[in-house]
Amino acid sequence: MKILFMAVNPYFNEAYSKIVERLLLLGHEVQVATNRKDIAKYFKNKYIPVTDIDDFTKTNQTTTRGFLVRNRYGMGDVDEMTMREIKIYKRDKRYVRGQITKYLGFLKHYKDVDVIANFDHGLLNIVVDKFAKKQGILAIHKHGMAISQGKLIWDKGIDFTSWVRRSDNPLTEKEEKEVETYIEGVKSKKSLVGVVPVRPDMNRFKKFFGYTWKYISAGKSRKDFLSPWTIMWRWGLIPLRRYNNLKYYSIMLGPKKYVYFPMQVWDDIAIVCDNNKFFEQHKLIKKIAETLPRDIQLVVKEHPAMLGTMPPHWLKEISKIGNVTIVNPFTNSHNIIRHSEFVITISSTVGWEATIWGKPVIALGNTFYSWLVPKTNIRDLKNVIKKVRRVHKNKVKKFTRDMLASEYDCYFFEPDLKINTKDDNINKITDSLLDVIQRYG
C-alpha cells in the first residue's frame, strides 16, 4: 500500500518515525512529507524517505490564480482553507494563498497514493483534507482528543464527524452492563470531554523557549507558524483579558428556566473547517436568544481552553442581550446541563453529554452525534424548539456502545502531555491506523 505520511509537528518526531519504520517493516511503501526543515532533517538522519515541500516546489513553481483555476478550486474552497489563517490569525492574504498553491502543487504529484495519513490540524493539513476530497483519495486524520482517556480516534474527515462506526445490532447483555457502567461513571464523576487549560508554570516558559528555537531552525517554513513574539504577546494578554471578563460573569439562575449554549474554541478545527458560518459566536448567541420564549433565559459559558484568547468585544456584546446569562467558565457543564430545559450547540461534545442526562439537544452544525439529535439552521430554530424532544434512552445506549467501540486502545499523550513512544503503544497506533484504512478503504 502506498502511504503519504504528513508530518508537521516536530514534537511528535520520535513517535512518527517509529510509526513509519513499522509501516515500512510491514511492507508498505511510505513517503513522508513535511513543510519544516527541522522535521525533514530528523527523518533524513533516520534514513526514512522524506520530501521537504519547500525544496520540492522551488523547481515546480506556478502562479496562484492560474493554478487554482486550472485545478477547479473555486473561491469558496480557497476561503475555507484560508479562513483561520486570514480571518482569525490575521496573516497576509497573498502569502497564505501562495502557501496553499504550493501545498496543492506538491500534493498533485501524489495523486496515485492509496491513502494520506494526516496527523495535525494546521494549514497544510486543512489543504490535504480539501485535496483528498477533490481527488477522491482516502485521507485518514488523527484526532487530538478521544472521548475516553488513554484512547485514540481516527476519521476520514478533518472535522471528525464520521468516526463512530454505527451498528443496528441490539445490545447484548454484556454490552448493556458496560454502557450503563460507563454512563453512570460519567454522571457520578461529572468528567468533561475536551482540553483542560494548563495553568502558567515553568513548563510554559520552557515550552516558549523550545518553540522559539524550533521556529528559528525551521528555515523559510517558519512563516507557516505563529512567531514566538506573537505567542508571547498573546500569552501576555490572556491574564489581562481574563481579569477584564470577570465583570461579565453571573451566578447560576436557580429556579428559573433556561437553555444552555456552550461556546466552542473559536479557532478549533470543528469550527474552522465544517461550521465556519458560526465563527462569530456572539452574533449566533444573539440570534438564538431572539428565538427563545420570553420566560426562558439563555445560559452561555466560554470554553475553558479559550479563556482570554477570543476577541474581547464578544463577551461585552453578549452581556448586553437581555435574556442571556454568562456563567463562570469553570462551572461544571454537567451541573448546567442537569437543570436546563434543553441544550443548543454548534457541534460541542456537551451536546452528547446532554443526551446522557436525558436532555433534548439541538445541533446547529455537523457533529459526530448528529444522527442522534435534530440538526437545523438558525432560520428554522424557532419551529424546532417547539418540537424538540429528549433522545430515547435505548438509542443513547446503542450510540454510546458504538462510540466506545470506535476508539482504539492506544494514545499519543500521557496525562502530563508527554508523548508515549513505547514500542507496544507505537505498534498499537500503527495497527489502529491500518485498521481504519481497511475500514474506510
Side-chain angles (χ1 to χ4, degrees):
M1 177 164 46
K2 292 182 180 179
I3 302 173
L4 181 62
F5 192 103
M6 311 304 298
V8 299
N9 190 338
Y11 191 55
F12 293 90
N13 274 349
E14 185 180 357
Y16 288 169
S17 65
K18 286 188 173 183
I19 293 170
V20 173
E21 285 170 350
R22 178 161 170 77
L23 289 170
L24 291 168
L25 189 65
L26 292 172
H28 300 288
E29 186 180 329
V30 185
Q31 174 66 49
V32 178
T34 182
N35 57 346
R36 293 190 59 128
K37 299 285 184 188
D38 50 346
I39 296 178
K41 184 178 179 181
Y42 180 90
F43 277 90
K44 284 176 182 176
N45 289 339
K46 291 277 186 178
Y47 300 101
I48 294 173
V50 61
T51 299
D52 182 333
I53 296 175
D54 275 333
D55 289 342
F56 179 89
T57 51
K58 281 178 185 176
T59 56
N60 295 274
Q61 293 180 354
T62 183
T63 60
T64 301
R65 183 178 294 277
F67 177 88
L68 295 173
V69 170
R70 286 195 303 275
N71 291 275
R72 299 181 181 179
Y73 287 93
M75 289 312 299
D77 298 321
V78 174
D79 290 343
E80 186 178 316
M81 288 186 281
T82 61
M83 184 262 188
R84 179 166 60 185
E85 309 299 316
I86 294 173
K87 197 167 185 179
I88 299 178
Y89 296 155
K90 307 297 183 184
R91 292 180 177 169
D92 180 72
K93 185 183 292 187
R94 178 180 289 182
Y95 170 76
V96 174
R97 288 185 175 175
Q99 287 298 95
I100 66 170
T101 303
K102 178 173 72 176
Y103 295 153
L104 288 169
F106 166 77
L107 291 167
K108 189 179 176 184
H109 287 77
Y110 286 89
K111 289 192 295 185
D112 62 336
V113 297
D114 299 305
V115 64
I116 303 175
N118 208 18
F119 280 82
D120 220 299
H121 302 147
L123 177 61
L124 173 57
N125 307 102
I126 292 171
V127 173
V128 166
D129 182 60
K130 177 64 71 175
F131 171 82
K133 288 174 180 174
K134 279 270 188 183
Q135 299 294 331
I137 299 171
L138 176 63
I140 299 299
H141 308 268
K142 173 187 73 69
H143 200 296
M145 210 70 174
I147 299 296
S148 308
Q149 286 189 343
K151 302 284 185 177
L152 181 67
I153 62 175
W154 303 92
D155 202 352
K156 63 179 179 180
I158 202 168
D159 51 2
F160 298 99
T161 58
S162 58
W163 63 272
V164 178
R165 296 186 291 244
R166 289 179 55 190
S167 171
D168 294 326
N169 296 331
L171 277 77
T172 63
E173 188 175 335
K174 182 183 177 182
E175 289 172 338
E176 183 96 29
K177 288 180 181 178
E178 289 175 349
V179 168
E180 286 181 356
T181 301
Y182 177 82
I183 289 176
E184 289 306 313
V186 171
K187 287 183 177 181
S188 61
K189 294 177 184 176
K190 296 180 180 176
S191 54
L192 303 174
V193 176
V195 179
V196 178
V198 179
R199 294 179 181 178
D201 55 16
M202 286 304 295
N203 286 331
R204 177 159 285 194
F205 291 104
K206 288 179 183 176
K207 184 178 179 182
F208 172 75
F209 288 117
Y211 185 92
T212 302
W213 168 246
K214 288 173 182 175
Y215 177 83
I216 293 170
S217 63
K220 291 182 180 179
S221 61
R222 70 172 65 100
K223 292 182 180 180
D224 289 1
F225 309 94
L226 295 177
S227 72
W229 330 119
T230 303
I231 289 176
M232 185 168 61
W233 173 250
R234 288 189 175 190
W235 282 1
L237 284 178
I238 285 173
L240 297 175
R241 286 179 175 174
R242 288 177 66 169
Y243 177 77
N244 182 64
N245 289 345
L246 290 175
K247 62 188 175 186
Y248 300 122
Y249 302 147
S250 304
I251 58 173
M252 286 298 296
L253 297 172
K256 288 186 179 179
K257 290 183 177 181
Y258 66 84
V259 171
Y260 178 31
F261 178 82
M263 296 183 75
Q264 295 180 225
V265 178
W266 68 312
D267 61 348
D268 186 76
I269 202 74
I271 298 293
V272 172
C273 279
D274 207 41
N275 298 300
N276 52 41
K277 60 185 175 183
F278 301 121
F279 155 65
E280 296 177 308
Q281 293 177 61
H282 61 300
K283 294 180 180 179
L284 175 63
I285 288 167
K286 184 177 182 180
K287 291 178 180 178
I288 292 173
E290 290 170 352
T291 65
L292 294 177
R294 292 184 179 179
D295 62 332
I296 293 183
Q297 285 278 112
L298 181 63
V299 168
V300 172
K301 186 173 81 74
E302 293 173 89
H303 193 293
M306 67 187 278
L307 301 183
T309 63
M310 67 179 178
H313 68 279
W314 280 17
L315 280 190
K316 184 178 181 180
E317 292 190 22
I318 294 168
S319 67
K320 294 177 182 178
I321 307 171
N323 60 337
V324 173
T325 299
I326 306 171
V327 298
N328 190 298
F330 292 105
T331 307
N332 192 291
S333 271
H334 289 268
N335 293 333
I336 306 176
I337 292 168
R338 283 172 61 194
H339 302 290
S340 67
E341 297 299 305
F342 57 91
V343 171
I344 300 177
T345 179
I346 301 171
S347 61
S348 171
T349 52
V350 170
W352 168 73
E353 290 165 350
T355 64
I356 283 182
W357 284 101
K359 295 293 181 178
V361 176
I362 297 173
L364 297 172
N366 296 317
T367 179
F368 69 92
Y369 55 87
S370 288
W371 68 275
L372 265 183
V373 300
K375 182 179 174 240
T376 185
N377 55 52
I378 198 69
R379 287 176 297 181
D380 297 330
L381 183 59
K382 199 165 189 174
N383 294 327
V384 175
I385 286 174
K386 295 176 183 177
K387 302 173 184 177
V388 68
R389 298 288 183 271
R390 68 177 62 187
V391 183
H392 194 279
K393 194 174 182 179
N394 287 339
K395 204 173 178 182
V396 174
K397 285 182 178 180
K398 286 180 71 175
F399 178 78
T400 303
R401 174 203 61 187
D402 297 342
M403 184 187 70
L404 295 175
S406 301
E407 297 178 319
Y408 289 94
D409 189 22
C410 49
Y411 55 96
F412 279 93
F413 288 110
E414 299 279 10
D416 60 358
L417 298 184
K418 290 182 179 177
I419 306 297
N420 184 340
T421 56
K422 294 176 182 176
D423 289 343
D424 180 59
N425 185 61
I426 292 296
N427 291 345
K428 287 181 178 178
I429 291 174
T430 309
D431 292 342
S432 70
L433 173 60
L434 293 173
D435 180 71
V436 80
I437 289 172
Q438 186 178 17
R439 173 161 64 93
Y440 285 125

